[in-house]
Amino acid sequence: MSRSEPVRPARFPPALGPQRTFALVAGVERYEISHRWNLRGPARDALRFARWLTGPGQVPPGNVRLLLSPLDDPDDLDWSDSPAMAALKAAHRPATEDNAKSALLDELPQCDGDLLWIFWAGHGYLGPRHELILPCADARPGQIRHLNLDSVLRWWHTDMVKHRRFPLQAALVDSCRVDAPRDTRWNFGTTDYGGGNSVPGRRQFRLYASREGEAAQNDAERGAGRFTEALLGELGQRTVQEGVTGLAGAARSIHRTFQDLRERGEGWQLPQFIVDRDWEACSFLDFPDFSGSPGFSGLGETGASAPSAASRAPRLDQQAWDGLGELFEGRDLPRSAHDGYAWAFTAAGCAPPVHAGLPAESLLEVVQDLDERQGGRTGMPLAVPFVRFLADRAGAGDPAWAARLREWGRATRERLALPALAPPPPPPRRSALHVRLEAPPGGGDGYLARMWLRGERTEHIWESEDAPVGLDAVREELVRRLVLIGGARADGARTDGARADGPPGGGGEAAAPPPGALDRIEFHVPYELLDADFDQWPVPRGPAGRRRALGVLYQVVVRCPQERTDTRAEWHAKWRWLYGRGGRHPDAVRVVEDTDVTDALGMDLGAGPAPACVLAHTAAAPDAGLLEAVLEGGVPVAVWRRGGGLPAPPLLDLLAPAGPDGRPDPGALDVLALPARVREVRRAAAGAAAGSPRSPQPDAGGDRLVLLWDDPDDMPGLRSLA
């Protein structure tokens, strides 16, 4: 044909009504793969959509295939008191892969209908070809059983379904659309249901709760997805015919609702029309107020993205890339890279990625990721605030590199005519007191000792010089120094005449503390002192000679850097890996039990960048192989119970936040915040021991926790004291 036929507006079938409407409705809350996947809300959302279909929609319950895998007993769900819902309650099935495929590829295609609804609530991932993968309840690590929705919809568009059936098909999905995990333990495989020849005249309407790379928000307390709330609010008491004919207008209204939430800072997700045409083949892009709204993303029949305000930031030009190539050559990821990556999204006014952590292991690859995401409504490319953040944090340690980064940012902003960029927030201003103990070279009793303050600068404040001292003497000197630091002059002047960053006099008074409150005390100790009770040292506090345990007042950690010589590479690699993920990752924490403590444990811990933290759930004393393995594996962070003995509750329960199912979630444990978290546990234990009604939990051995915290980027005073 030399010419194509003119496109005629689609007509709704004259007999379209509830009797000729069919649906698959699915809600998945419980997954076999892991309790960490469980979430509360999708089953309730699916039931509410089914209630609309069979209530105001008047669709016979026999036309609905309901798949539910709730967290609770299905009988405890709100089925409402209606014959239709009672029928669905008796007929519903678990949301397994076989049941989903049977309903969509076997049962429903045999029905004689005009309209197919597909409603799915649960997790959602994007596969390697950007197809939407919906994990099913029987997803397992070795095989993530799922429904490939894009492949299903392609199948339904072909003559695998008889020509005159189901000219209208609507898919509404309340799920995330983030990249599928690429961990080798999780095998999604590939799924394609095939199909026949496309059937002209069939129209599909797809509305997803979020855009690619975004999470769909779920209110776990209310058990409801925000998208489903908005959708059902639009459908209200409409009949199924009113609902389907007004679906495009309802979708536009939902989009505006989420846009308002986003502008108020209450949400980031925006619904996405995968096909930019309504039932009458009119493009949504014909509505200037809608297509130009920030964050709108539609795909036409060619698959091209519609322009949107959220993607109008310019890409970096070749001159910018050439400059970054020189600036980043030979540079490892700095400690500030993760914080800079996260701040870039805030500075550009757009949604951060749903997954925490850096997208790559090199600076150039991180910037490439940011450049591909472009920027937000401010017109600022994400790469520019990222580089600015690096410059600010590199200032004191590498002023020459910081100056070059700032010059790159200035030149790039001028060349690309970018808006002004507010400075990043300053780093937290804290200081720590370090205590180093070292066995004397000739043996004998006591330890050589040194103390220094570490903040914006390092100041040595006391040293035992050549005379070994006992732990009691170290404790007394530490208490004295804490009193002096607390009473130091507010103007920051020194009181002993010693110079900063140099060896002090042994009898001088304490230096004024660096700016910021003293909140941590770090003990650098030989191996045999790792299990010592430094956190229990009494410190004067308040009137009448009251004393408090050191670990209740301060974050108290122990370190053993002299044992890191042989595993320095593993030690640094694990710390960089941890910082690159913002301190949170499902693999960052390893719980070690007695059966795990073997001669091979150290090699196992050091085999890769994860784990970076060990939680000991062991009855044996930590020096019975556990600490050796931790140090041999290069693990920088570990928590155990002093003297051994199974902690009750287990350390994971004590330290990690609870997941949606109420169980502790190791992937949500912020390892970088463990010093503060352990102090909270110690304070709770102290309150319980004193019978305080304010204690959030009973005494669970929290006053016996020991935290190994070996930060390789903060290692002042490595020179031997001998």
Side-chain angles (χ1 to χ4, degrees), residues 317-398:
D317 58 11
Q318 188 59 51
Q319 188 171 344
W321 281 113
D322 291 342
L324 290 177
E326 296 177 3
L327 283 167
F328 293 162
E329 184 178 4
R331 293 271 178 178
D332 291 330
L333 280 171
R335 185 176 179 135
S336 59
H338 175 268
D339 291 342
Y341 182 80
W343 180 75
F345 291 89
T346 301
C350 58
V354 65
H355 291 304
L358 292 172
E361 300 296 331
S362 74
L363 281 170
L364 273 179
E365 289 176 312
V366 171
V367 174
Q368 286 171 349
D369 174 84
L370 292 170
D371 193 54
E372 289 171 2
R373 297 176 186 272
Q374 291 182 280
R377 57 183 179 272
T378 65
M380 175 65 70
L382 287 163
V384 174
F386 174 71
V387 173
R388 171 62 187 273
F389 193 96
L390 296 183
D392 276 33
R393 294 299 169 92
D398 193 343

Side-chain angles (χ1 to χ4, degrees), residues 145-163:
R145 300 182 184 276
H146 64 271
L147 184 74
N148 185 328
L149 186 63
D150 286 88
S151 182
V152 161
L153 292 174
R154 284 194 299 270
W155 190 93
W156 269 84
H157 202 276
T158 69
D159 55 10
M160 301 299 292
V161 181
K162 291 183 179 180
H163 282 64

Side-chain angles (χ1 to χ4, degrees), residues 440-494:
D445 297 332
Y447 298 92
L448 301 176
R450 173 183 291 169
M451 297 182 192
W452 64 90
L453 281 171
R454 177 82 160 172
E456 292 183 349
R457 57 180 179 173
T458 299
E459 296 182 282
H460 297 276
I461 59 174
W462 178 78
E463 187 170 325
S464 66
E465 298 182 333
D466 296 331
V469 295
L471 290 181
D472 289 343
V474 175
R475 181 180 66 245
E476 292 174 3
E477 187 62 36
L478 173 63
V479 169
R480 190 171 78 92
R481 294 290 157 178
L482 291 174
V483 172
L484 291 171
I485 291 170
R489 287 166 51 184
D491 61 4
R494 293 189 58 95

Side-chain angles (χ1 to χ4, degrees), residues 37-270:
W37 280 46
N38 295 345
L39 70 163
R40 188 173 299 280
R44 179 175 181 267
D45 288 342
L47 272 184
R48 290 192 298 159
F49 188 81
R51 192 177 301 120
W52 171 77
L53 279 175
T54 58
Q58 302 176 9
V59 176
N63 290 11
V64 179
R65 305 299 184 267
L66 179 61
L67 307 181
L68 292 178
S69 291
L71 280 175
D72 303 319
D73 190 306
D75 291 339
D76 295 335
L77 298 175
D78 180 11
W79 292 94
S80 297
D81 188 13
S82 71
M85 293 303 291
L88 286 179
K89 181 178 181 181
H92 85 277
R93 292 170 284 177
T96 63
E97 181 188 35
D98 286 344
N99 286 340
K101 289 169 59 178
S102 177
L104 279 173
L105 303 179
D106 295 329
E107 301 167 23
L108 291 170
Q110 303 305 315
C111 300
D112 187 9
D114 293 327
L115 171 64
L116 172 72
W117 293 93
I118 298 176
F119 177 89
W120 190 287
H123 285 304
Y125 293 101
L126 294 177
R129 296 188 299 274
H130 289 268
E131 66 274 25
L132 182 54
I133 293 173
L134 302 172
C136 298
D138 52 345
R140 300 183 182 93
Q143 180 63 53
I144 309 296
R145 300 182 184 276
H146 64 271
L147 184 74
N148 185 328
L149 186 63
D150 286 88
S151 182
V152 161
L153 292 174
R154 284 194 299 270
W155 190 93
W156 269 84
H157 202 276
T158 69
D159 55 10
M160 301 299 292
V161 181
K162 291 183 179 180
H163 282 64
R164 295 185 181 276
R165 294 180 181 176
F166 296 104
L168 303 177
Q169 302 161 15
L172 311 173
V173 183
D174 195 347
S175 77
C176 303
R177 296 178 66 214
V178 298
D179 291 336
R182 297 177 182 176
D183 193 306
T184 55
R185 299 171 303 167
W186 293 349
N187 175 32
F188 280 84
T190 56
T191 304
D192 191 339
Y193 309 114
N197 298 314
S198 294
V199 175
R202 273 207 180 111
R203 298 203 176 274
Q204 293 180 340
F205 188 99
R206 298 186 234 176
L207 179 61
Y208 295 168
S210 57
R211 300 173 300 172
E212 291 188 1
E214 288 186 356
Q217 293 178 314
N218 184 64
D219 188 337
E221 288 188 12
R222 298 176 58 237
R226 280 193 171 184
F227 170 78
T228 302
E229 285 277 330
L231 173 65
L232 293 175
E234 291 294 329
L235 294 175
Q237 295 299 309
R238 296 181 183 185
T239 66
V240 71
Q241 187 170 25
E242 293 169 342
V244 70
T245 55
L247 190 56
R252 284 193 288 269
S253 178
I254 293 170
H255 189 280
R256 286 193 293 268
T257 297
F258 277 84
Q259 183 63 43
D260 291 342
L261 287 172
R262 184 173 183 174
E263 290 176 353
R264 295 199 304 267
E266 298 177 16
W268 286 110
Q269 74 188 82
L270 283 177

Side-chain angles (χ1 to χ4, degrees), residues 258-296:
F258 277 84
Q259 183 63 43
D260 291 342
L261 287 172
R262 184 173 183 174
E263 290 176 353
R264 295 199 304 267
E266 298 177 16
W268 286 110
Q269 74 188 82
L270 283 177
Q272 180 181 35
F273 300 100
I274 301 302
V275 182
D276 76 335
R277 299 180 183 276
D278 61 19
W279 297 122
E280 299 296 336
C282 295
S283 173
F284 291 137
L285 304 184
D286 293 339
F287 297 86
D289 62 321
F290 178 71
S291 60
S293 62
F296 171 72

